[in-house]
């Protein structure tokens, strides 16, 4: 018994902010951003929220998988940027879908969130606890972005991606996941709920702060290690892998991972040029894009790998259904 992805969906805001627009806010330019990150634009919420994007991506994933909301018995939303604390975002998705039988909860693991949501749902399906799961990554990082900090505001974007998983016959691959709270200082954002005084909203502590070089070095070391480990653990050769779908943070990180794994760049699809870093939504949005343009085919083995705040990182193997 395993969990098989049978439908995907995504939602990205229609408002597109290109690098030239960012250059009107902070001292930067299109050439620097493209060269150092690969990002050309990002989609930013106007009327949307983390909840509304999660709902839309979820509806699209159910429609794509031809799964009725009544069949869904687990909804997990990975987010660090919801517009609400209570109820959890997953319960709001349940309400919108009318998925009355679902157990719902949110998961917070930043840019590793979608990989962990996948692993969590997989464990429930493998164990026979649930039969149909909906996993969603939805983020409005623009709300946590300090638009006066050029070292971070160029990176992030908003959006949501979702996948429906059904229990079915097949092999379950064991994931590889790690956390290192001791290195948490590299990427932080304090809770706004701790604010006694709204004037402190100006305080940089309440926005994403990052030691970019430390995170970069961590990612290019730990991601290839995790990918190699997940292959070894499951006795899968790298030649068997069709796609490595990495969290979309920086083109140079993806290139460095490919190099360290000694695998061709063609196996590393990217869409960060259009969306920037959408944290836990990034892998799900890319999976949806690749399913819709038919790059994903039945039987392909795919590695998904996430990394980010915590620090957290991990990799899983998916056999496409
Ligand atoms: O989701 C996971 C979390 N995040 C990540 O994966 C991010 C990982 N880190 C990175 O992607 C890169 O470290 C950044 C893209 C954030 C920065 O690139 P970098 O090559 O590490 O640049 P840097 O921080 O070393 O800065 C180099 C120079 C500095 O100037 P000096 O000191 O050499 O004169 C910065 O002040 O570039 C300057 N700089 C900029 N210049 C133009 C920093 N940000 C900008 C900017 N535009 N936006």
């Amino acid at each position: 018994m395993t969990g098989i992805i049978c439908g995907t969906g995504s939602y990205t805001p229609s408002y597109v902010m290109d690098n030239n627009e960012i250059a009107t806010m902070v001292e930067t330019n299109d050439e620097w951003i493209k060269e150092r990150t690969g990002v050309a634009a990002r989609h930013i919420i106007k009327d949307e929220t983390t909840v509304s994007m999660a709902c839309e991506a979820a509806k699209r994933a159910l429609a794509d998988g031809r799964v009725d909301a009544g069949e869904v018995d687990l909804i997990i939303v990975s987010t660090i940027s919801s517009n609400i604390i209570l109820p959890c975002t997953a319960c709001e998705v349940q309400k919108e879908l009318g998925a009355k039988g679902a157990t719902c909860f949110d998961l917070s693991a930043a840019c590793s969130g979608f990989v962990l949501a996948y692993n969590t749902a997989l464990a429930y399906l493998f164990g026979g606890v649930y039969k149909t799961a909906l996993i969603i990554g939805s983020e409005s990082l623009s709300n946590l972005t300090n638009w006066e900090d050029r070292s971070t505001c160029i990176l992030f974007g908003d959006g949501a991606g979702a996948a429906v998983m059904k229990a079915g016959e097949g092999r379950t691959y064991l994931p590889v996941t790690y956390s290192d709270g001791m290195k948490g200082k590299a990427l932080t954002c304090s809770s706004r709920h701790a604010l006694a005084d709204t004037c402190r909203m100006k305080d940089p502590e309440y926005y994403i702060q990052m030691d970019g070089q430390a995170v970069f070095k961590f990612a290019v070391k730990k991601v290839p290690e995790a990918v190699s480990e997940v292959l070894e653990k499951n006795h899968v050769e790298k030649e068997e892998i069709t796609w490595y779908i990495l969290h979309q943070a920086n083109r140079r990180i993806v290139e460095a991972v490919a190099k360290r794994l000694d695998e061709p760049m063609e196996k590393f699809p990217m869409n960060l040029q259009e969306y920037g870093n959408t944290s836990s939504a990034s892998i799900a949005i890319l999976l949806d894009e690749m399913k819709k343009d038919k790059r994903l085919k039945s039987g392909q083995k795919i590695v998904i790998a996430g990394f980010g705040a915590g620090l957290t990182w991990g990799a899983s193997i998916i056999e496409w259904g």
Side-chain angles (χ1 to χ4, degrees), residues 18 53 55 73 75 86 112 117 120 134 139 189 199 205 207 222 257 276 321:
D18 67 14
M53 293 192 294
C55 290
D73 35 28
I75 301 175
L86 297 174
S112 303
T120 306
L134 185 51
E139 304 285 6
C189 182
C199 294
E205 189 186 328
Y207 298 97
K222 295 298 185 185
V257 171

Side-chain angles (χ1 to χ4, degrees), residues 114-115 245-247 279-288 304-306:
F114 189 76
V115 175
I245 302 186
L246 307 189
H247 164 51
S279 191
S280 68
S282 77
I283 291 173
I285 295 171
L286 186 49
L287 274 176
D288 184 45
I304 56 170

Side-chain angles (χ1 to χ4, degrees), residues 2-7 62 67 72-74 114 117-123 125 130-135 163-168 318:
T2 191
I4 299 160
I5 295 180
C6 61
L62 289 183
V67 173
V72 177
D73 35 28
L74 175 67
F114 189 76
Y118 173 79
N119 293 342
T120 306
L122 183 65
L125 299 175
Y130 301 118
K131 287 195 170 62
T132 307
L134 185 51
I135 54 171
V164 197
M165 295 168 70
K166 281 195 147 199
I318 297 175

